[in-house]
Amino acid sequence: MSGIKDKVVIITGASSGLGEATAHRLAQAGAKLVLAARREDRLKKQVDAIEQQGGTATYRVTDVTDKDQVQALAKMAKDTYGRIDVLINNAGLMPLSPLDQLKVDEWEKMVDVNIKGVLYGIAAVLPTMREQQSGH
């Protein structure tokens, strides 16, 4: 994790699983975190835990299927820390929807989160990263 200290990292899907674990690991390495997910109570607990361990973190409740919310997340990160160095586009879901059950609504939600959400994240941070001439 060399080189991550003081980097500004946005993590979507940060309220549980891989996003939560990644947030704690990056906080230990000295990154400045902006955590995003839909569950505010989980985000608050994570920020509190990270800060109690000496880390730097903030959060914004964000539904990655809403382009405006993702744009607001990126704006908040830049307004708070002055830059965006890394986007971990982690939000995702995989419903148990066998094709023969025709759960089209679940398939559409998966596409909205796993594809559109990723693209909205890229669109939100790319202008800042291009302006900075750096970012991942």
Side-chain angles (χ1 to χ4, degrees):
M1 288 269 181
S2 66
I4 199 70
K5 184 170 174 31
D6 295 323
K7 297 290 185 184
V8 177
V9 180
I10 298 172
I11 305 173
T12 66
S15 64
S16 64
L18 291 172
E20 180 179 14
T22 301
H24 286 280
R25 179 65 184 97
L26 291 175
Q28 290 170 353
K32 297 176 182 175
L33 302 176
V34 179
L35 307 181
R38 292 173 297 155
R39 296 179 287 184
E40 185 170 22
D41 59 324
R42 302 279 314 244
L43 291 169
K44 281 182 180 180
K45 286 179 185 176
Q46 274 203 81
V47 167
D48 289 345
I50 288 167
E51 288 177 342
Q52 286 175 8
Q53 295 172 358
T56 302
T58 189
Y59 75 89
R60 182 175 183 93
V61 174
T62 306
D63 179 344
V64 298
T65 68
D66 184 322
K67 180 175 43 175
D68 293 334
Q69 288 186 36
V70 180
Q71 288 288 336
L73 170 66
K75 182 179 183 328
M76 184 199 119
K78 188 172 180 187
D79 289 349
T80 301
Y81 297 117
R83 59 184 300 108
I84 301 168
D85 296 300
V86 178
L87 169 65
I88 299 178
N89 237 338
N90 174 71
L93 57 89
M94 182 62 193
L96 298 175
S97 302
L99 294 176
D100 65 345
Q101 292 184 12
L102 302 177
K103 295 183 178 181
V104 175
D105 290 344
E106 289 184 12
W107 304 342
E108 289 175 349
K109 183 67 173 175
M110 183 178 65
V111 167
D112 288 346
V113 173
N114 297 357
I115 298 173
K116 289 181 181 177
V118 169
L119 294 174
Y120 293 161
I122 293 167
V125 303
L126 190 56
T128 296
M129 290 180 175
R130 292 185 93 175
E131 180 184 300
Q132 297 168 173
Q133 297 183 0
S134 67
H136 297 283

